[in-house]
Amino acid sequence: MSAAGDGFASTPKPPYYAVIFTTRRTGVDGEYDRTAERMVELAARQPGYLGIESTRGADGLGITVSYWESLEAIAAWRAHGEHLRAQERGKREWYSHFELRVARVEDAWAGPSAR
Amino acid sequence: MSAAGDGFASTPKPPYYAVIFTTRRTGVDGEYDRTAERMVELAARQPGYLGIESTRGADGLGITVSYWESLEAIAAWRAHGEHLRAQERGKREWYSHFELRVARVEDAWAGPSAR
């Protein structure tokens, strides 16, 4: 989902912000995959977007972390019309439970090698 | 991996801290699963531990987010002897790449229903 296509977000030196979205899916699939892909594409075009990392295990638990320059950028993305409609369907149809956390990244490092 | 067994961490009202650990595995499996399980158990016994959420997709990308009361608790866990040895093996054998980010959770909510 990163520009590099390896699943890692290329983020700048901290500080920046992370939205940690942990979800468990219902069995309802109607347009979920298509909408999730569309939201990733749409997020990437928003001001202040830095990157995204996302995965879902065979047990149905998913974690998506998106990275942003500022709380203002996160607030604007949350209020985006098409995203709002997807959020509503998520609550109504796609997620049996989710936890959403907004955090300020203060330190970051990588290893064991260059990508 | 939470006490409730549903994969979600039961965290208190913010602020608290998150360690976001995004990894891609090598093909080397020697003791990885056993060590990863052991680290989850050991982390849960450390002072200041709040919870963990962890998943890995079929494509090999994994995201583990652990939650902590303070930066001091995170520093102590990073310096734990058995954990240090696991970190070394992770860098040498198990991960082709990882990104590690330490973040201060400032806001959190859940939905769409009680767990």
Side-chain angles (χ1 to χ4, degrees):
Chain A
M1 304 230 185
S2 72
D6 60 0
F8 294 99
S10 293
T11 43
K13 200 162 141 33
Y16 53 88
Y17 288 84
V19 178
I20 306 164
F21 185 44
T22 306
T23 61
R24 187 168 290 285
R25 291 272 286 111
T26 61
V28 180
D29 282 328
E31 295 174 323
Y32 171 77
D33 287 342
R34 199 180 67 173
T35 307
E37 266 178 46
R38 167 76 181 152
M39 288 305 115
V40 168
E41 288 167 14
L42 199 57
R45 299 208 299 262
Q46 303 310 305
Y49 170 90
L50 296 174
I52 197 165
E53 294 170 345
S54 186
T55 190
R56 185 174 304 279
D59 67 348
L61 190 78
I63 302 178
T64 296
V65 190
S66 59
Y67 300 99
W68 302 86
E69 281 177 3
S70 66
L71 292 175
E72 292 70 27
I74 294 169
W77 170 232
R78 283 187 66 197
H80 184 290
E82 192 174 339
H83 187 205
L84 277 175
R85 289 191 294 279
Q87 290 170 50
E88 279 312 306
R89 291 198 68 184
K91 286 181 206 172
R92 212 169 52 229
E93 297 176 46
W94 295 323
Y95 301 123
S96 58
H97 187 74
F98 67 79
E99 298 281 337
L100 218 158
R101 297 173 176 97
V102 178
R104 182 179 187 270
V105 178
E106 302 190 341
D107 198 5
W109 61 98
S113 60
R115 284 151 62 194
Chain B
M1 304 231 184
S2 74
D6 60 1
F8 294 99
S10 293
T11 43
K13 198 161 140 36
Y16 53 88
Y17 288 85
V19 178
I20 307 164
F21 185 42
T22 306
T23 61
R24 186 169 291 284
R25 291 271 287 107
T26 61
V28 179
D29 283 328
E31 293 175 323
Y32 171 77
D33 287 344
R34 199 181 68 174
T35 307
E37 266 178 44
R38 167 74 180 152
M39 289 305 113
V40 167
E41 286 166 18
L42 200 58
R45 299 209 299 263
Q46 303 309 304
Y49 170 90
L50 296 174
I52 197 165
E53 294 170 344
S54 186
T55 191
R56 186 175 302 280
D59 67 348
L61 190 78
I63 302 177
T64 296
V65 190
S66 59
Y67 300 99
W68 301 86
E69 281 177 4
S70 66
L71 291 176
E72 292 69 27
I74 294 169
W77 170 234
R78 283 188 65 195
H80 184 289
E82 192 175 340
H83 187 205
L84 277 176
R85 289 191 294 279
Q87 290 171 50
E88 278 312 307
R89 290 198 68 186
K91 286 180 206 173
R92 212 169 51 227
E93 297 175 45
W94 296 322
Y95 301 123
S96 59
H97 187 75
F98 66 78
E99 299 281 337
L100 219 159
R101 297 174 177 96
V102 178
R104 183 179 188 269
V105 178
E106 302 191 342
D107 199 6
W109 60 100
S113 60
R115 284 151 62 193

